[in-house]
Amino acid sequence: MKKMTNEELKKTLGDYVAPPGLYAMTKDMPFLGSVRCNVETIVAGSWQEIVIDYTLGASGMADGSWFKATFRFYSDWALFQNTDPAGANFISAEYHASPTLPGQSPATVQKLSVRFDQKGHERPFQKAVLVDTFDGYLKAGDHIIIRLGDRRFGGAGTRVQTFVEENFKIRCYVDPLGTSRFAAIGDDLVIQIVPGAPAQVQWAGSRLVRAGEVFPLRVRAEDEWGNTCWNRSEEIEITATLNGKQVYEKKAELAGKGWAVLLLEDLPTKNAGELAITARLPKHPWVKPKTFYATVEKNLVMPRIYYTDLHVHSEETIGTNNARYNLTYGRDVTGLDVLAFAHNDFNITTERWKETVALIREISKDGSFVAYSGTEWCGSSCAGGDHNVIFLHDEEPEFPYLKTGEHVRSVDWNEDTKGGGVEPGAWPLEELWAAYAKDPEGHLLIPHVGGRRCILDWHYPKLERLIEIGSSWGHFGWLYQEAMERGYKIGATMAGDEHRGRCGGGVPGTAVFGTKGGMAGVISPALTRKDIATSLRARHTFASTGERTYGMISCDDHIMGDEFTHKGSATIDYRFLGDTGWDEIVALDHTGEIWRRDLQQELGYSDRKVRFRWGGARIKDRYRWAIWKGTVTITNAVINDFQGLGFEHREETCWRESATTIGFKSDTYGDVDAIEIDISHLKTAKIRIEGTIDGYVKVGDPLKGNPFVHCPTFTWEFTGAELIEAARLKKDLPGVEMFLGFERMSDSPAPREVSGTLNIDPQNGPHGHRPVYFIGRQVDDAKVWTSALFIAFE
C-alpha cells in the first residue's frame, strides 16, 4: 500500500494506538533493508578485515530468522572459522539496536550465531556466511554487523581471494519471517579485486620455431599470486643468447595502460639452436630474472608449435570477468594461438550465447588468433558426465536449439527458465551425440574430469577425438590410461577449465582449482580455423600441465594421434623440450608402463642430494584434493639445505622445524609436490616421515579439518643405506595414485631436451591394435602427455 499521512490514517482508522512516528519511518525504509561494506578496492591475496553492515528494513526479522552473505563458489577466499578469535579468518556477528521511538518496545533477540558453509546457497552464489537469530525478534532499523577476518582479538584478518576480479559481488539475503525462504537485499556489495606489485616475470610463446619465422613472444609482470599487473609501465631489460652466445639485447617498458605486457616480434631466428631469452625488471631487484627457451629448427614442417586452451569459462556462466576479457587475456597476455569457450550449457542464456558467438567471430583472425564457440554439456556422471562441445564449423552453432527446435542443453535451468521445474534436453549422453552426429567434422566433443567427471562407459569415436586429462582441477593421467585399456582411439589434451579469468596456463589459487591450468600443443601446418580443426580431430596434440613445453612421438611417417598398420617391430622416435629439466620419460600402452628412462640415474647419483615426493588425490570426483601436513625427520646425519618444488602458491611451503626436522604442507589434486634435500652422511641416516591427510571441509570448523577416512595419518621409516641401495623407495597410500616417495638425485642439472628411440614388439592388444604413448616429467612435476600412436600390427 502507498504511504498514508497521519490525517489519512486517522480518517481511515479512527482511534488507534501505535508508537508515534514509527509508521512514517517504517514506510520510508526499504522493506528488506540495506547493506554496506567498509571496502571498495582490495589487493588480491591480501589480508583484510571486511565489515558488512546490514540495516534491517521495515520487515524486521522474526524470531529464528536468518541472514546470509554469499559469494561465488569459485572464489578461493580463505575458509572462515568461528572458534579461535585470535586466529586468522575469524568471523563474528553482532547485534546493535537502533534507538526506539516514544512508545516503541525494544527488540527481544538474545544472541546471534555465525557460521560458514561452502554450499550454503544456490549456484553460483554458493559460499555463504550465515547468521542465525535466537530467542527474540529484531526491529526495523537495527543493525547486524558481520566482520570477516575480525582483528579485534589479535587475529591477522582474512586472506581474500587470490585472483583479480572486476566487480566481485557479495550478495546478501534475509529470511525475514523465519520460514527459511530467502530474498535478496537490494543491490549487491561490489568490490574491485586488483593485482599487487610486481613479484615475478612470466613468458608466453612457442617452444619450437622454424628457422626464419617471426614468432610472437610475450613477457609480463605478475604479482605474488600470478595476477598480471595492471597499469604499470615498468622498465624491462631483455637479453637473448643462441647456443650460449648473446644475439639480442633490448630495453623497453611494459604497457603502461592495461595489462603490464610487452610483445616481442624481432627475436633472431635465422640460425638454428636454442634461444635463451631472459627478462629483468631493473627497478625491482628482488624480482628474479626469468628465462624462456625456444628451439629454432631449420627443417620443421610447420611454422611453430601452436598452443591452445579449449576450455574457458567467463562470468556469463560461472567464471570470472566477461567473455571479452577472457578472450583478450588469452590472446594478448598468455599468448594463446587457439582458444575455445565452454559455457555451462544449463547456465548460459540464449542472449548471452548469441553475444559470445558474435564476439568470437569478431576476434578470430586466421594467422594470428583462432577462437571457437563451445559449450560444456553438464550431464551427471551417471548419464555420461561432463563433455565439452566445440563448434569447429563456420555455420551458426546449433545451440541452445537444433534447427528442428529441440533444446540441446543438458537441462534447461538458467535465468531464462520459467517456473520452478527442471526440463531435460539432450539427456543422457546418447542424445548429445545424436544432436551433432550428422556433422562430425564440424564438431569436437571432449570428455573431461571436473565437477561431474566423465565416465568412460560411454564413448562415441566419430565425435570424441580428444580427452581432457588435466586442468586447473588437477592431473588425471589415470583417465588416459583407462581410455587406452578400453581400446579407445582418442588423443590427449589438457585445458584450463578456467573459472578465474586467467586462461592459458593460468596459475592456481587455493581450493577447488588448485593446479595450474593445462594447455595442449597442436601440430598444424598453419594457424587457420580449418587447419587447426583438422589437426585437433586428427589427434595431433600433446597435453601440457600449463607450461610451454613440447612432446612428440612418431613412427616412420606417422605422428602421434595417427592410426596405422605396421609389419614387424616398430621403432618410435621421441623428443621432449622443457625448461626446468626432464626427470624421467615413460612409455605406456594399454597394459600400463612398458619402459622408463631415468635421467637422474643417467646423470649419476649424488652422495648427498635426495628428494622427498608426495602426491595424488583422495577421490576421482569434484572435491578430490588431499591436504597434506607433515614432517621429515633425519637423524644421524646433517640437513645442509633444502628447497620445495612443485608448490602451486605461497601457502604451500616447507620449513626447518629443528636441526633434524623439515615441516611441510601442501594440497595435491593428482599432482606431486617435492622437497629436495642436501644431506651429509646419507649412508648412516635414519629417515622418518609422518603426517596427516585432510580433505574438503564443506561446513563446520576448518581448523578441525576433515581427515581422509581411508588414510588420516601416515608414517614411513627407512635408512639412508636402504635408499642408497634401491635409489628409489615408494610407499603407496589409499586414494587415487596417492603415494610417498624418496629418491636419490644427481648434482648435475637435468637436460632441457631429451630424445631417443624405442623399439616396440609387434604385439596387438585385445582390441586389435597397440596404443603407445609417452609421458615426460620435469623435476618440478611439470608434465607432458603425448597422444598415442595407434599401431595395428599385421
Side-chain angles (χ1 to χ4, degrees), residues 675-716:
I675 304 173
E676 287 186 0
I677 311 171
D678 183 331
I679 304 175
S680 294
H681 314 297
L682 176 60
K683 187 175 182 179
T684 61
K686 294 182 178 181
I687 301 169
R688 177 181 173 86
I689 298 167
E690 57 188 329
T692 61
I693 303 175
D694 277 14
Y696 172 69
V697 180
K698 176 183 179 294
V699 64
D701 186 357
L703 299 180
K704 294 180 180 178
N706 179 22
F708 179 34
V709 293
H710 301 292
C711 188
T713 63
F714 56 87
T715 304
W716 189 26

Side-chain angles (χ1 to χ4, degrees), residues 230-290:
W230 186 261
N231 292 347
R232 298 188 72 104
S233 56
E234 300 286 348
E235 293 182 12
I236 190 166
E237 297 176 350
I238 300 164
T239 58
T241 62
L242 180 67
N243 301 327
K245 180 180 179 181
Q246 184 167 322
V247 293
Y248 182 87
E249 184 176 8
K250 188 169 194 170
K251 293 183 179 180
E253 288 189 353
L254 300 176
K257 185 176 181 181
W259 289 301
V261 178
L262 176 67
L263 171 62
L264 301 174
E265 294 182 296
D266 59 348
L267 289 161
T269 62
K270 181 179 180 181
N271 298 314
E274 184 184 65
L275 273 172
I277 309 110
T278 301
R280 298 174 178 82
L281 299 179
K283 292 189 176 180
H284 299 279
W286 58 89
V287 176
K288 294 180 180 179
K290 181 76 171 184

Side-chain angles (χ1 to χ4, degrees), residues 736-747:
V736 183
E737 299 180 333
M738 287 181 63
F739 76 100
L740 305 172
F742 224 91
E743 304 158 353
R744 297 185 68 186
M745 295 190 71
S746 175
D747 286 323

Side-chain angles (χ1 to χ4, degrees), residues 465-696:
R465 307 290 290 178
L466 300 175
I467 185 169
E468 186 181 293
I469 58 175
S471 67
S472 57
W473 289 96
H475 300 173
F476 316 120
W478 52 265
L479 183 68
Y480 200 49
Q481 181 58 31
E482 181 183 342
M484 298 301 104
E485 292 170 2
R486 289 174 176 262
Y488 299 167
K489 295 176 181 177
I490 194 166
T493 184
M494 295 185 82
D497 200 348
E498 182 59 43
H499 290 62
R500 295 172 173 174
R502 300 185 295 204
C503 55
V507 297
T510 65
V512 186
F513 306 105
T515 57
K516 184 185 295 184
M519 289 188 292
V522 185
I523 313 302
S524 180
L527 183 58
T528 69
R529 289 176 60 85
K530 183 178 179 180
D531 286 311
I532 294 294
T534 300
S535 297
L536 290 173
R537 285 191 50 84
R539 302 171 296 228
H540 291 166
T541 60
F542 60 84
S544 159
T545 51
E547 300 75 24
R548 299 304 174 102
T549 46
Y550 170 79
M552 167 64 84
I553 60 173
S554 60
C555 180
D556 298 332
D557 294 330
H558 302 286
I559 69 170
M560 56 193 179
D562 288 348
E563 53 180 304
F564 57 97
T565 58
H566 193 86
K567 188 173 183 179
S569 62
T571 299
I572 295 180
D573 297 299
Y574 64 88
R575 186 185 188 192
F576 289 84
L577 302 175
D579 48 17
T580 61
W582 296 103
D583 200 58
E584 63 180 4
I585 308 296
V586 182
L588 305 94
D589 68 2
H590 58 284
T591 65
E593 181 181 324
I594 58 174
W595 173 85
R596 178 185 296 266
R597 183 175 175 185
D598 185 338
L599 278 306
Q600 296 296 327
Q601 183 183 45
E602 289 184 18
L603 293 167
Y605 291 130
S606 166
D607 293 333
R608 295 174 17 177
K609 192 174 180 181
V610 297
R611 174 174 58 194
F612 168 49
R613 303 174 69 225
W614 66 96
R618 296 179 307 109
I619 59 174
K620 292 181 177 179
D621 294 288
R622 185 189 296 266
Y623 301 109
R624 60 184 53 84
W625 64 94
I627 302 171
W628 304 75
K629 295 179 183 178
T631 56
V632 181
T633 299
I634 303 173
T635 55
N636 208 24
V638 177
I639 300 174
N640 300 307
D641 195 13
F642 64 95
Q643 65 169 336
L645 288 176
F647 293 150
E648 279 73 29
H649 50 75
R650 62 195 311 253
E651 290 185 1
E652 296 187 348
T653 186
C654 57
W655 62 91
R656 186 187 287 269
E657 286 199 359
S658 68
T660 60
T661 301
I662 299 169
F664 66 92
K665 64 174 184 175
S666 78
D667 302 346
T668 62
Y669 299 68
D671 59 308
V672 177
D673 295 330
I675 304 173
E676 287 186 0
I677 311 171
D678 183 331
I679 304 175
S680 294
H681 314 297
L682 176 60
K683 187 175 182 179
T684 61
K686 294 182 178 181
I687 301 169
R688 177 181 173 86
I689 298 167
E690 57 188 329
T692 61
I693 303 175
D694 277 14
Y696 172 69

